[in-house]
Amino acid sequence: MKILLTGGLGYIGSHTAVDCIENGHEVVIVDNLSNSKIEVLGSLKQITGKNIKFYKCDLCDFNKFSKILKKEKPDQVIHFAGLKAVGESVQKPLMYYNNNLVSTLNLLKAMELCDCNNLIFSSSATVYGEPKSVPITEDFPLSATNPYGRTKLMIEEILGDYQKANKYFNVVILRYFNPIGAHDSGLIGEDPNGIPNNLMPYITKVAFGKLKQLSVFGSDYNTPDGTGVRDYIHVCDLAHAHVLAINKNTENKGLLIYNVGTGKGYSVLDIVNTFIKNNKVDVPYKIVERRPGDIAECYASSKKASKELGFKAKYNLKDMVTSAYNYEKKHTNL
Ligand code: NAD
Ligand code: UFG
């Protein structure tokens, strides 16, 4: 099938592009490069041996984007494009609402114009707000605590309304938990601009001396070691969930929603200590105050994705920390 990936040069999109190609799909990427680099395209060619069609285009530019979609006529679209930094979304809410909502509305309008009726959408565990218990199942109440999360929630609702109005439209909403790690080749991985907000890219920068020390946000949570617990999933496992979702969309089921996590929770100190032990490096850290807005524990029930998509995580925590380290190593001039 021909699959168009919006935001396909980003962290999750690039790994998904590889898996799609390895599963016999043709990939077309549209990205405005606001949070990715054109060099990723070369890395994708190196990994897959395939020339991938790329358009530099902002989805907020409807005229330009709809022409691309009309020309390419993909069988399915995977919509990764979006801004994703929680803190920045609090500072610049209009930028987040504009980029994430307008790009999605433009995508849906353009898909309608060219009769493309199959979509996979990147949602997030953030839509569960502060969950009442763990593991989290897909029917838990939804809420948002910041503008970024609210864009995901709003888009989920828009997709629901649109699907009700268009019975030919199939959409799989994937609610990602915490993707970390990198492709085995070390050629693609997570490369955030500026100082990372997320745990794993921060750890790798500290390990290579680019940042002095990690701040562990809080050690007084009601968790086994007092630090926050999350469901970390290898980005290649997450990427594969999209290939399974492509297959699912062909069953014409309308709207489907799946958590994509491993179902296992690890604490911040589990991650730091596994990273230190497996990569034989030092990661200086200190315990500081809790980060405002953080929750104690968040991990998925992955039963629905397992039963209905056939999803099963292949990689363990050791694979996640070693691949993250190897990617950073390859991209650091020591
Ligand atoms: P990323 O920033 O690496 O990738 C997003 C890509 O979209 C970037 O390449 C960026 O240049 C592009 N983009 C942004 N706005 C665009 C626009 N208007 N037009 C065209 N391209 C645009 O992020 P990621 O980690 O790969 O995340 C992909 C998706 O998954 C995002 O929607 C994100 O919100 C969601 N998500 C990510 C996580 C995570 O922890 N990484 C967790 C849950 C959900
Ligand atoms: N943490 C630290 N120090 C850091 C960074 C993080 O101790 O420098 C801790 C956090 O307090 C938390 C854990 O590490 O306990 C994970 O934090 P991340 O920032 O890596 O991830 P979050 O779970 O806070 O949020 C991420 C994305 C959200 C997304 C959510 C669920 O940033 O956008 O996963 O998918 F919604």
Side-chain angles (χ1 to χ4, degrees):
M1 267 184 273
K2 189 192 262 196
I3 316 292
L4 186 138
L5 274 55
T6 76
L9 290 188
Y11 176 45
I12 304 167
S14 57
H15 289 81
T16 304
V18 171
D19 208 338
C20 285
I21 290 169
E22 284 172 352
N23 281 281
H25 297 298
E26 182 187 347
V27 164
V28 177
I29 291 176
V30 179
D31 199 306
N32 67 358
L33 302 177
S34 61
N35 197 36
S36 51
K37 298 188 178 78
I38 191 65
E39 288 75 20
V40 172
L41 193 62
S43 302
L44 292 179
K45 284 179 191 163
Q46 218 177 315
I47 295 169
T48 62
K50 291 263 182 342
N51 271 320
I52 297 171
K53 212 181 253 182
F54 171 68
Y55 295 91
K56 181 172 187 291
C57 170
D58 193 316
L59 267 78
C60 294
D61 181 344
F62 179 75
N63 284 337
K64 188 169 173 186
F65 178 67
S66 58
K67 279 188 193 124
I68 295 170
L69 209 68
K70 223 171 175 174
K71 181 168 168 233
E72 292 297 337
K73 291 194 176 48
D75 299 294
Q76 302 211 19
V77 175
I78 311 182
H79 184 34
F80 297 103
L83 298 173
K84 61 164 184 174
V86 173
E88 187 184 50
S89 80
V90 176
Q91 304 300 321
K92 299 176 181 168
L94 298 185
M95 185 170 110
Y96 271 68
Y97 288 123
N98 190 71
N99 188 73
N100 293 1
L101 298 178
V102 172
S103 62
T104 306
L105 291 172
N106 282 349
L107 171 65
L108 293 174
K109 282 190 282 179
M111 286 176 71
E112 192 169 82
L113 282 179
C114 61
D115 269 334
C116 175
N117 277 312
N118 295 298
L119 179 67
I120 296 162
F121 173 62
S122 301
S123 189
S124 165
T126 194
V127 299
Y128 295 114
E130 197 154 340
K132 59 182 189 311
S133 59
V134 277
I136 300 168
T137 52
E138 288 81 354
D139 55 0
F140 267 37
L142 306 180
S143 68
T145 52
N146 56 68
Y148 164 70
R150 214 158 280 126
T151 66
K152 292 292 174 194
L153 214 47
M154 287 175 175
I155 293 169
E156 287 203 8
E157 285 172 354
I158 291 168
L159 293 173
D161 287 340
Y162 183 60
Q163 201 286 322
K164 274 184 214 143
N166 176 0
K167 65 176 179 349
Y168 299 108
F169 183 64
N170 300 304
V171 56
V172 177
I173 293 176
L174 298 178
R175 293 181 180 151
Y176 310 158
F177 280 66
N178 290 53
I180 58 171
H183 190 261
D184 283 345
S185 64
L187 291 169
I188 52 172
E190 191 171 15
D191 188 13
N193 290 331
I195 297 178
N197 296 303
N198 297 114
L199 180 63
M200 185 51 78
Y202 207 105
I203 292 177
T204 56
K205 299 267 180 264
V206 173
F208 284 90
K210 295 178 184 171
L211 292 169
K212 223 171 106 222
Q213 73 177 355
L214 171 75
S215 296
V216 173
F217 298 137
S219 61
D220 57 351
Y221 285 108
N222 186 17
T223 58
D225 65 18
T227 65
V229 167
R230 297 289 182 276
D231 187 336
Y232 296 93
I233 175 167
H234 196 296
V235 67
C236 292
D237 277 330
L238 175 58
H240 193 61
H242 296 79
V243 172
L244 299 172
I246 291 171
N247 301 339
K248 194 75 192 169
N249 256 342
T250 60
E251 294 174 16
N252 298 316
K253 296 271 191 203
L255 178 133
L256 294 167
I257 301 177
Y258 298 102
N259 286 339
V260 193
T262 64
K264 284 194 212 84
Y266 288 105
S267 74
V268 176
L269 291 182
D270 288 334
I271 301 292
V272 175
N273 291 329
T274 311
F275 189 96
I276 292 172
K277 186 168 165 236
N278 284 286
N279 297 316
K280 299 180 181 55
V281 282
D282 193 20
V283 178
Y285 68 87
K286 68 167 181 208
I287 310 276
V288 301
E289 290 290 289
R290 292 180 180 193
R291 182 170 65 179
D294 272 356
I295 53 175
E297 258 190 317
C298 173
Y299 58 89
S301 160
S302 46
K303 281 196 186 129
K304 191 177 175 201
S306 158
K307 191 165 164 240
E308 295 182 18
L309 292 179
F311 175 75
K312 192 173 183 317
K314 279 196 319 201
Y315 296 91
N316 60 26
L317 190 57
K318 184 174 171 246
D319 303 322
M320 300 185 216
V321 298
T322 49
S323 63
Y325 176 83
N326 289 339
Y327 174 75
E328 190 67 32
K329 190 171 174 195
K330 221 170 176 140
H331 293 259
T332 298
N333 299 318
L334 290 171

